[in-house]
Amino acid sequence: MSNTSLSDMNDMDDRDSSRALNNDFGRDSSIHYPRFSVMERRNSSIGGGSVASSKTYSVGRRPFNRNRSSLASTSKYVKAVDDIAKLERRSLNICWVKYLRNLDDQREYLPPSKYALPENMPNQSFLSQLQTHMIRNFIVSTRNLWSRLLDSSILVLASALVCGINGTLEVTNEDISTASFYILMISDDYRPLMSQFSQLFNYAMSSNSDLELFYLTIGVIVSLLVALQAARAMVDKRVEFFREAGSGNNISAYFIALNITTMIEYMLQMALVAAVVFWLRNTLTNYSVFFVFFGLLAWTSSAWSFFFAGFIPPQNLSVMIGFFVTFSGLIFGGGLPPFDYGFIYESPVNEVLCGVVSPTRFFTESMVVSEYRCLPEQSGFTYNAAIATNFSESESSFSSLNYGLRDVDSIIDRSCSGWFWGALPFFLVGLTLRVIACILFHVQHRDEQAKRSFWDDMKRHGKIKDYTLVAGACCLAIGVVGCTVYSILKGEMTEATYSR
């Protein structure tokens, strides 16, 4: 008995198929029907027999139609299977009815009475969710108190080591002035005297490299440790965040609550760090300056962790944060050439680039200027406009060292209360990064939140309210970016300053 393939018989009816088998292979030919699961497979060769017989039979026949879902007799087979299933279900139903009639107590088998569907529970308001998340974060922080204390101890120890290596503050030294006293004796013309200012006040200006190096070093170390803490917080709460988002809770409420609770922890840590540095450094300015700028340093450094967590995988987040904060803090912080403060103030593009990218750019400059502003007028950094009538802002030691060139009018006034021109752009950089990070959390990782992709969801289920929220978020992001750029470039530099 020979076998044949059915691959070329799907366009024939049963009579043509039988006639073809009899003519080509004799009356002893038979068709092997496979299992139903095999017959459901499309575009597969089904049947018995040798490959040669299948090829011989297919010669001169119509090609296999791949658009057909089954073979010639599949429909009959499927119909027979459905009929058998119906008979089995009917038989089971009849047996159950007979069994139920013979029961003495049928109450537990009766259908329940009609009842109203439960009402949909309304979602909590934004403020309620924000409060709930904050309380829960504080409880978790309290349970992990030992870990928080260990992190704080590492920050304080690192700051103390940097202060111990660099020693106490020395804003002046014993460098001998190289000014020409012959020129200084000329009294009828003050203009030649201006050329000797850099040599005359060299005893105070020459200490700027040590000041820059100290604040740049401690700024990079503190910002790196804080950024790594923020990265760990994002990775630890990643599953919790996706669970909250998949449950329909407000992502923005969760994100804002996490920022608030973590910043409270970081501000407490910065209070300790500022106190240690203020005490060991023996600084000229007051403690509030240290607290404000160390707090802003933690604010901006942690913002970079939230920003990168929106699109960097969690297993690579710590490495990315460590590289970026260290590299940008050292290279674009203004304390090292070639990207020093002269390069930063060379063009608005450089100012915006270094101000946004580097967490230490405003920190280092603000702390150095705050120290020098406390010096008396004879140091060349500050002066009394009522006495020095021929002295302009462009001739001060601040302009010679390229410090605070956007605020030359107020920087020369002597004060030991600090210099806060860079506080506003410093704060707005961190705020901008957080706004962009919040938008990224709404758009990225939608599959892990049990949601469709953002664009697909907006295309299928987007309403006017949703489009309004998207437009509002875009306007908010553009607004904070614009405010940040404006705060960095606010103030005008004189022509003398531009020519440096």
Side-chain angles (χ1 to χ4, degrees):
M1 181 174 62
S2 62
N3 301 323
T4 185
S5 173
L6 297 178
S7 60
D8 295 314
M9 297 178 61
N10 55 1
D11 294 329
M12 303 179 185
D13 55 16
D14 294 340
R15 184 179 300 175
D16 293 337
S17 300
S18 300
R19 186 181 300 112
L21 288 171
N22 293 335
N23 292 338
D24 292 345
F25 299 102
R27 293 186 177 274
D28 293 334
S29 301
S30 63
I31 299 174
H32 289 191
Y33 285 92
R35 297 188 306 275
F36 176 70
S37 60
V38 178
M39 298 183 69
E40 281 187 322
R41 301 175 185 171
R42 292 188 179 185
N43 304 334
S44 59
S45 179
I46 300 176
S50 63
V51 177
S53 301
S54 301
K55 291 182 178 180
T56 305
Y57 179 75
S58 62
V59 175
R61 306 294 181 184
R62 288 185 296 173
F64 176 66
N65 186 3
R66 295 184 180 272
N67 295 325
R68 295 287 295 271
S69 62
S70 62
L71 301 178
S73 57
T74 302
S75 59
K76 293 183 179 180
Y77 185 83
V78 171
K79 187 175 182 303
V81 172
D82 292 340
D83 292 341
I84 294 173
K86 290 179 181 179
L87 291 174
E88 291 179 350
R89 289 194 295 269
R90 180 174 177 79
S91 177
L92 288 174
N93 182 262
I94 292 173
C95 293
W96 168 252
V97 170
K98 291 180 179 180
Y99 173 76
L100 185 62
R101 289 175 182 173
N102 296 327
L103 291 177
D104 296 332
D105 188 6
Q106 302 180 5
R107 287 177 298 178
E108 57 179 301
Y109 296 100
L110 295 177
S113 58
K114 293 183 179 180
Y115 58 91
L117 294 176
E119 297 181 359
N120 293 329
M121 295 294 294
N123 290 332
Q124 288 182 323
S125 63
F126 177 84
L127 294 178
S128 298
Q129 294 187 40
L130 180 64
Q131 181 182 6
T132 302
H133 290 312
M134 289 181 61
I135 293 174
R136 184 170 59 185
N137 291 342
F138 281 128
I139 293 174
V140 173
S141 298
T142 304
R143 293 174 179 173
N144 298 329
L145 182 59
W146 176 253
S147 176
R148 300 295 188 270
L149 291 176
L150 184 60
D151 293 338
S152 303
S153 301
I154 294 174
L155 275 168
V156 172
L157 179 61
S159 303
L161 288 175
V162 175
C163 293
I165 293 173
N166 288 270
T168 57
L169 174 65
E170 294 182 2
V171 292
T172 60
N173 51 41
E174 298 179 355
D175 287 356
I176 300 176
S177 175
T178 58
S180 174
F181 287 95
Y182 175 77
I183 297 177
L184 296 178
M185 292 175 61
I186 298 177
S187 58
D188 57 345
D189 190 359
Y190 67 90
R191 285 173 294 182
L193 180 63
M194 300 299 180
S195 63
Q196 301 298 310
F197 271 11
S198 59
Q199 290 80 19
L200 183 64
F201 303 125
N202 188 48
Y203 74 97
M205 293 174 58
S206 59
S207 63
N208 75 301
S209 58
D210 295 334
L211 278 176
E212 283 184 0
L213 182 61
F214 169 76
Y215 285 113
L216 182 66
T217 304
I218 197 169
V220 170
I221 292 176
V222 171
S223 61
L224 175 61
L225 293 177
V226 172
L228 291 176
Q229 288 186 57
R232 184 187 60 190
M234 292 300 301
V235 172
D236 291 344
K237 296 181 180 296
R238 184 181 179 87
V239 177
E240 178 184 338
F241 169 75
F242 289 140
R243 184 180 68 244
E244 297 291 341
S247 301
N249 289 344
N250 195 304
I251 299 177
S252 300
Y254 181 86
F255 184 80
I256 294 174
L258 181 61
N259 276 268
I260 293 175
T261 52
T262 53
M263 275 310 302
I264 292 176
E265 296 178 8
Y266 301 151
M267 293 305 290
L268 293 176
Q269 292 176 346
M270 292 303 103
L272 294 175
V273 171
V276 170
V277 177
F278 177 77
W279 177 56
L280 294 178
R281 188 63 175 166
N282 193 21
T283 178
L284 297 178
T285 186
N286 53 39
Y287 172 75
S288 61
V289 178
F290 280 78
F291 177 73
V292 169
F293 284 102
F294 271 104
L296 290 173
L297 182 65
W299 164 262
T300 305
S301 303
S302 58
W304 279 111
S305 297
F306 291 118
F307 173 76
F308 283 116
F311 56 91
I312 297 297
Q315 59 270 22
N316 306 114
L317 184 59
S318 298
V319 177
M320 181 64 192
I321 290 297
F323 163 75
F324 179 83
V325 172
T326 305
F327 181 83
S328 62
L330 287 174
I331 302 300
F332 300 105
L336 297 177
F339 302 102
D340 53 8
Y341 289 104
F343 170 82
I344 291 175
Y345 286 108
E346 226 174 54
S347 69
V349 176
N350 297 344
E351 292 182 68
V352 174
L353 174 64
C354 296
V356 172
V357 170
S358 177
T360 59
R361 182 259 181 271
F362 295 108
F363 173 80
T364 305
E365 183 183 31
S366 299
M367 295 304 299
V368 172
V369 171
S370 297
E371 300 285 5
Y372 278 135
R373 279 191 81 191
C374 200
L375 292 177
E377 286 81 357
Q378 62 265 28
S379 63
F381 288 97
T382 60
Y383 75 97
N384 190 340
I387 299 175
T389 56
N390 295 323
F391 189 80
S392 63
E393 297 87 348
S394 59
E395 274 81 29
S396 68
S397 298
F398 284 123
S399 297
S400 299
L401 297 175
N402 298 309
Y403 290 142
L405 300 186
R406 289 281 181 181
D407 192 34
V408 292
D409 294 333
S410 62
I411 197 175
I412 57 177
D413 296 332
R414 184 184 181 187
S415 173
C416 293
S417 300
W419 180 65
F420 295 96
W421 176 88
L424 180 60
F426 208 178
F427 172 79
L428 289 177
V429 169
L431 181 62
T432 302
L433 293 172
R434 281 171 165 81
V435 170
I436 297 176
C438 186
I439 295 175
L440 288 175
F441 275 108
H442 281 275
V443 177
Q444 298 290 332
H445 308 295
R446 302 274 294 186
D447 53 341
E448 300 184 54
Q449 304 173 26
K451 297 178 181 179
R452 290 190 179 94
S453 66
F454 178 78
W455 305 113
D456 188 32
D457 200 9
M458 292 295 295
K459 187 185 300 182
R460 294 188 180 186
H461 307 289
K463 300 178 182 179
I464 297 178
K465 178 183 177 181
D466 299 327
Y467 287 106
T468 304
L469 291 175
V470 172
C474 294
C475 293
L476 177 61
I478 295 174
V480 293
V481 170
C483 292
T484 302
V485 174
Y486 172 76
S487 65
I488 294 174
L489 301 178
K490 71 177 188 293
E492 295 182 1
M493 291 187 288
T494 62
E495 294 183 1
T497 305
Y498 273 117
S499 63
R500 290 184 181 274

